Amino acid sequence: AQSVTQPDIHITVSEGASLELRCNYSYGATPYLFWYVQSPGQGLQLLLKYFSGDTLVQGIKGFEAEFKRSQSSFNLRKPSVHWSDAAEYFCAVSPGGYNKLIFGAGTRLAVHP
Amino acid sequence: DTAVSQTPKYLVTQMGNDKSIKCEQNLGHDTMYWYKQDSKKFLKIMFSYNNKELIINETVPNRFSPKSPDKAHLNLHINSLELGDSAVYFCASSLQGLAGDNEQFFGPGTRLTVL
């Protein structure tokens, strides 16, 4: 069965520091991969997605993610974090066929001033 | 505004009651979804409809009954509410969901509290 693992439940970084959020997936073929962000009390917003092609994808708000097939990973990165980036981040996979999203457990990001 | 909207935003009710949550999208999408987010923030798909037809039903108790009167609306009716139904319910929509590669747009969520 397909699954998504986000090993870090909670991460705290200082404003201006770099950020990497980890995501590993379990799926037989190359899945469609997504990162969503959820601000407190809000719905989910898509940051970026990977379907095929260039394994480094750029998203909104200065985020990028790299797909590594050999490691079954799709880690999210940002070179310099802003206080407004504090939120819950979800990695998700769509196994194709039917467009359901399978989510990881999320990583809560806190940003220190 | 073009968006996915849900009503109500908050819903507090007693065990055993029946309640409905409404979802509407004006994005012209073909596929709509319901997700449940539990108290630990874990998100899991419940249902998906494509052009008013049910295509995904993820072993949800039959107390939950989705209804899609047209492809812009997907409502969720819950009978005999239980404490464990307390969660945030998110509606989402996407273009032609069968390919697996389309972005899903999420509504703001409905926080259901069962007392």
Side-chain angles (χ1 to χ4, degrees):
Chain A
Q2 305 92 3
S3 65
V4 178
T5 302
Q6 293 180 246
D8 305 305
I9 297 172
H10 195 173
I11 285 183
T12 301
V13 299
S14 298
E15 191 167 17
S18 63
L19 171 70
E20 182 170 28
L21 302 182
R22 296 183 290 165
C23 173
N24 293 96
Y25 66 90
S26 171
Y27 184 62
T30 299
Y32 302 113
L33 295 159
F34 305 81
W35 274 100
Y36 281 84
V37 61
Q38 184 180 25
S39 298
Q42 302 295 314
L44 284 84
Q45 181 183 23
L46 181 70
L47 287 174
L48 45 79
K49 57 190 177 185
Y50 173 78
F51 296 152
S52 63
D54 192 348
T55 57
L56 184 64
V57 293
Q58 302 297 321
I60 63 171
K61 304 184 180 186
F63 285 92
E64 66 177 27
E66 186 171 13
F67 169 62
K68 292 185 178 180
R69 184 191 306 274
S70 61
Q71 298 176 20
S72 296
S73 68
F74 188 56
N75 294 349
L76 181 72
R77 300 194 293 250
K78 186 169 184 177
S80 177
V81 171
H82 188 262
W83 64 265
S84 60
D85 293 325
E88 192 90 24
Y89 290 80
F90 292 95
C91 182
V93 59
S94 175
Y98 293 114
N99 196 17
K100 67 179 183 181
L101 289 173
I102 299 168
F103 285 92
T107 296
R108 177 165 293 182
L109 175 66
V111 181
H112 278 315
Chain B
D1 285 354
T2 54
V4 181
S5 59
Q6 296 179 229
T7 54
K9 190 170 175 63
Y10 300 97
L11 186 53
V12 181
T13 188
Q14 300 286 330
M15 278 177 54
N17 284 351
D18 304 337
K19 291 293 179 185
S20 292
I21 306 171
K22 295 185 177 181
C23 178
E24 176 181 4
Q25 56 91 7
N26 58 6
L27 299 166
H29 289 165
D30 305 296
T31 309
M32 296 184 73
Y33 314 80
W34 278 110
Y35 288 86
K36 179 180 179 181
Q37 186 174 46
D38 64 21
S39 59
K40 295 184 178 179
K41 299 282 190 178
F42 186 67
L43 275 155
K44 185 172 168 59
I45 190 163
M46 301 173 68
F47 301 103
S48 177
Y49 271 72
N50 187 63
N51 279 323
K52 302 193 297 176
E53 290 192 25
L54 180 67
I55 56 172
I56 294 174
N57 181 344
E58 289 285 307
T59 60
V60 178
N62 58 15
R63 298 183 295 104
F64 290 78
S65 52
K67 285 186 173 53
S68 183
D70 55 62
K71 71 175 191 177
H73 296 84
L74 180 61
N75 303 323
L76 184 64
H77 187 75
I78 315 170
N79 290 325
S80 303
L81 277 155
E82 300 177 356
L83 292 176
D85 298 331
S86 295
V88 180
Y89 292 84
F90 286 100
C91 179
S93 71
S94 72
L95 283 170
Q96 294 184 0
L98 299 183
D101 61 350
N102 286 309
E103 175 184 353
Q104 293 186 21
F105 292 79
F106 283 79
T110 295
R111 182 175 294 276
L112 171 65
T113 303
V114 182
L115 303 175

